[in-house]
Amino acid sequence: QVQLAESGGGSVQAGGSLRLSCAPSGYTISSACMGWFRQAPGTGREGVAAMYAGGTTVYADSVKGRFTISRDNAKNTVYLQMNSLSPEDTAMYYCAARQPSTNCGNWYLYRNWGQGTQVTVSS
């Protein structure tokens, strides 16, 4: 059974940084698409960043240049480094995974989600 556990959320002031972590069980991240999504109150879930098994990354325009997805294969953990945060980044952030590692930037193909970690950015 696939389980994804996010951590690292919290409250930060605008301009600050946070790093989220996701440690999936039931997936080897080096052979899967790994994605980060977010959902603000009253909005739909939005794809933020994704990584192919080969290391290619995909970003939503809203976070390009500020967010970085990375992974540590030895720890089977995926990260989302978030810099220059703004109040518009406030949301619940979710980790997601799928196989095979194709079309990782197609946000609609993900089916396995974590419980989420809250990120709140104050002005």
Side-chain angles (χ1 to χ4, degrees):
Q1 184 176 352
V2 176
Q3 291 185 324
L4 300 110
E6 303 94 339
S7 62
S11 297
V12 65
Q13 290 193 325
S17 299
L18 284 172
R19 188 177 80 158
L20 308 182
S21 300
C22 172
S25 60
Y27 272 108
T28 300
I29 62 171
S30 60
S31 64
C33 288
M34 298 302 302
W36 284 99
F37 292 70
R38 66 186 182 186
Q39 187 169 17
T43 69
R45 194 167 292 185
E46 171 192 21
V48 172
M51 177 175 274
Y52 285 76
T56 300
T57 56
V58 179
Y59 295 97
D61 288 343
S62 58
V63 306
K64 279 181 182 176
R66 300 188 301 121
F67 291 12
T68 303
I69 186 172
S70 63
R71 69 185 186 213
D72 184 332
N73 290 341
K75 296 181 179 180
N76 203 47
T77 299
V78 177
Y79 303 98
L80 184 69
Q81 177 68 43
M82 305 185 296
N83 298 329
S84 301
L85 286 162
S86 71
E88 289 70 34
D89 296 314
T90 295
M92 185 72 79
Y93 283 71
Y94 299 89
C95 176
R98 53 176 286 268
Q99 288 177 321
S101 182
T102 58
N103 295 314
C104 296
N106 188 332
W107 312 117
Y108 299 100
L109 297 180
Y110 288 83
R111 294 290 181 268
N112 295 307
W113 307 88
Q115 295 297 309
T117 185
Q118 179 68 38
V119 172
T120 303
V121 185
S122 58
S123 57

